[in-house]
Amino acid sequence: MLNQFDPEIADALNREVKRQQEGLEMIPSENFVSEAVLEALGSIATNKYSEGYPGKRYYGGCHEIDVLETLAIDRAKELFGAEHVNVQPLSGAPANLAAYVALLEPGDTVLGMDLSHGGHLTHGHPVTHPAQVWNFVRYKTTPEGFIDYTDIEAKAREHKPKLILVGYSAYSREIDYERIKKIADEVGALTMADMAHIAGLIAAGEMNNPVPIFDVVTTTTHKTLRGPRGGMILCKKKFKKAIDRAVFPGLQGGPHENNIAAKAVAFKEALQPEFKDYAKQIKKNAKVLEEEFRKREYRLLFGGTDNHLLLVDVTPKGIGGQQAETALDKAGITVNKNAIPDDERSYVDPSGIRFGTPAITTRGMKEDEMRRIADWMDRAMMNWGDDEALEKIREEVKTLTAQFPLYPGLIY
Ligand code: DSN
């Protein structure tokens, strides 16, 4: 159908299928959903308006939509031990915005991690709209690379924030939620965790779970959790009303129910025992990459990794983050350039690259493949200006990825 009516779109999709199949996807926030998730995402649930919540909609004909949204909510509650879940946020940024709207008054102070130390844009970076509405104060990591809990404590006492925010996009270590909660309780602050990057690892019991401890937890559903592109908010019962109101009607209209159906499918997958093995392997694979890069004397930020990602300063090797990203791209390996703590270079050509293992682990790759990948990455970066050398690596990458089929037979 699609290729007959709209060959330009079909062709672009087919080229993207080939890119995903032939390359090594190492952006730590990306993953490959199952065919069952894709099917739900492409389903007729996209046709339905359903403003409101299950059992209380502003449109008729929502019976089956209620069934699938309720399944998504119940499965998410089970996965994370949550008292209340809202599965309607369209993605991570809208989920964070809804949480701020629910918990804060304009002008309130929020304590969040500095962007270059691993925080996220939506955690109050000055270029974002929330930074104009609320007063964000930033904490950092220590020179050894761990969250600076002493800095958080001092800043909490000084600024008396209404909310303390943890959860990061480029931080590779574990988080002590109990310790943050203690600091928050001392100064009368609420607690919020953005677990977007590590939600799958938390669901599998491979990382600390903030949900039973914190007031509100936001996440995307498409990273380590391996669901469709979307967001979700989990909270204590006492915030249920405020969170639900902030999402709808506060900020959003009709929920994307095809997406919610796909979330429900992904949550069912994450409840299976195999998902625990997957999460364990994500971490093992990241550890092998850590060892291999350390062996090759790269500068690893935060001293290594406890999760699925690594942040590496490539400048001591004589290249910049943009050059590294471009060279790796040419070699068939997708990563992203990334600022390192207090980076003196610009965000468009920072000092680091960020990469991780969720997507390549979904393909079934293990420790041996990680060693080969680290070698290719090093070779590509050390030969960043040599297109012939990069093309040779790309061919080698293709022979590996051919052994780990992805969406076999998929053609639009
Ligand atoms: N853009 C996501 C990431 O790549 O980490 C975070 O929202």
Side-chain angles (χ1 to χ4, degrees):
M1 275 306 273
L2 180 65
N3 64 7
Q4 279 162 21
F5 176 71
D6 198 338
E8 286 160 291
I9 290 291
D11 288 351
L13 283 171
N14 286 329
R15 288 191 298 274
E16 177 60 12
V17 169
K18 189 166 145 61
R19 188 193 71 81
Q20 292 190 14
Q21 284 171 338
E22 291 185 350
L24 287 165
E25 183 49 74
M26 296 188 69
I27 292 176
S29 47
E30 295 190 15
N31 213 330
F32 301 117
V33 297
S34 69
E35 281 162 13
V37 168
L38 273 184
E39 210 174 311
L41 201 52
S43 70
I44 45 75
T46 195
N47 297 336
K48 189 73 197 94
Y49 254 119
S50 56
E51 283 175 18
Y53 290 100
K56 207 175 157 215
R57 303 283 189 182
Y58 293 87
Y59 286 80
C62 286
H63 180 74
E64 300 309 328
I65 294 301
D66 279 4
V67 170
L68 59 88
E69 187 165 334
T70 303
L71 279 169
I73 292 167
D74 289 347
R75 289 171 184 173
K77 280 184 177 172
E78 186 181 344
L79 260 183
F80 296 100
E83 290 179 11
H84 176 65
V85 176
N86 186 310
V87 292
Q88 294 190 2
L90 300 176
S91 204
N96 284 346
L97 185 58
Y100 301 149
V101 166
L103 302 177
L104 305 170
E105 296 298 329
D108 277 347
T109 296
V110 182
L111 192 51
M113 173 86 97
D114 189 274
L115 179 71
S116 78
H117 286 247
H120 189 253
L121 264 180
T122 58
H123 298 178
H125 191 276
V127 299
T128 62
H129 185 69
Q132 293 169 31
V133 181
W134 298 287
N135 170 38
F136 286 87
V137 174
R138 268 164 279 282
Y139 58 89
K140 296 190 171 186
T141 54
T142 62
E144 294 74 39
F146 293 94
I147 297 169
D148 194 340
Y149 293 96
T150 319
D151 187 29
I152 298 179
E153 201 161 23
K155 289 200 164 106
R157 286 181 183 150
E158 182 189 346
H159 298 280
K160 300 266 179 297
K162 176 90 176 284
L163 179 68
I164 300 183
L165 176 55
V166 305
Y168 317 108
S169 295
Y171 182 68
S172 51
R173 292 301 193 182
E174 185 53 281
I175 301 168
D176 187 344
Y177 301 102
E178 300 273 7
R179 192 161 171 191
I180 301 279
K181 175 78 174 123
K182 229 171 118 201
I183 298 171
D185 285 347
E186 188 200 308
V187 299
L190 297 171
T191 45
M192 170 175 159
D194 175 347
M195 64 171 180
H197 262 261
I198 53 174
L201 300 176
I202 292 171
E206 287 296 313
M207 293 201 80
N208 294 340
N209 184 2
V211 176
I213 304 165
F214 271 33
D215 295 311
V216 173
V217 177
T218 59
T219 187
T220 51
T221 48
H222 50 270
K223 299 185 174 98
T224 47
L225 196 48
R226 209 165 56 181
R229 194 156 289 280
M232 170 162 80
I233 305 176
L234 309 94
C235 65
K236 298 280 182 218
K237 254 202 190 101
K238 67 174 174 179
F239 298 104
K240 171 181 187 317
K241 229 181 185 171
I243 288 290
D244 285 354
R245 265 196 202 147
V247 174
F248 172 83
L251 294 162
Q252 291 185 186
H256 295 185
E257 295 292 349
N258 57 320
N259 198 278
I260 289 172
K263 285 174 187 171
V265 176
F267 300 157
K268 183 168 182 177
E269 289 174 355
L271 284 163
Q272 307 307 308
E274 302 86 89
F275 194 83
K276 288 197 190 323
D277 300 335
Y278 166 62
K280 272 196 176 67
Q281 193 64 46
I282 287 179
K283 283 175 62 179
K284 278 190 204 162
N285 286 350
K287 269 286 168 214
V288 175
L289 292 178
E290 173 189 323
E291 283 158 22
E292 293 297 313
F293 276 85
R294 183 169 292 122
K295 244 196 301 197
R296 291 171 176 82
E297 298 181 342
Y298 280 84
R299 184 172 165 246
L300 308 179
L301 276 304
F302 315 122
T305 184
D306 296 326
N307 58 22
H308 61 302
L309 71 80
L310 284 152
L311 182 62
V312 175
D313 178 4
V314 292
T315 55
K317 291 284 195 174
I319 55 172
Q322 179 62 68
Q323 283 165 333
E325 182 191 293
T326 306
L328 288 162
D329 225 0
K330 287 183 180 171
I333 301 169
T334 316
V335 306
N336 68 275
K337 62 187 175 199
N338 211 99
I340 61 167
D342 298 323
D343 207 329
E344 285 174 359
R345 296 168 66 112
S346 76
Y347 277 105
V348 289
D349 184 16
S351 301
I353 55 168
R354 184 187 68 150
F355 54 92
T357 55
I360 51 177
T361 307
T362 291
R363 293 191 78 159
M365 296 181 191
K366 296 205 162 96
E367 288 88 331
D368 282 348
E369 287 77 37
M370 295 308 119
R371 290 185 196 100
R372 294 180 69 188
I373 291 169
D375 189 50
W376 285 325
M377 289 177 75
D378 180 41
R379 266 170 58 200
M381 288 190 278
M382 293 304 92
N383 292 283
W384 65 270
D386 181 346
D387 280 358
E388 219 170 280
L390 298 175
E391 184 52 37
K392 189 164 178 300
I393 298 169
R394 191 186 188 87
E395 288 308 315
E396 291 173 38
V397 164
K398 268 204 257 183
T399 60
L400 178 74
T401 51
Q403 294 163 39
F404 295 90
L406 180 69
Y407 308 124
L410 179 64
I411 181 155
Y412 291 98

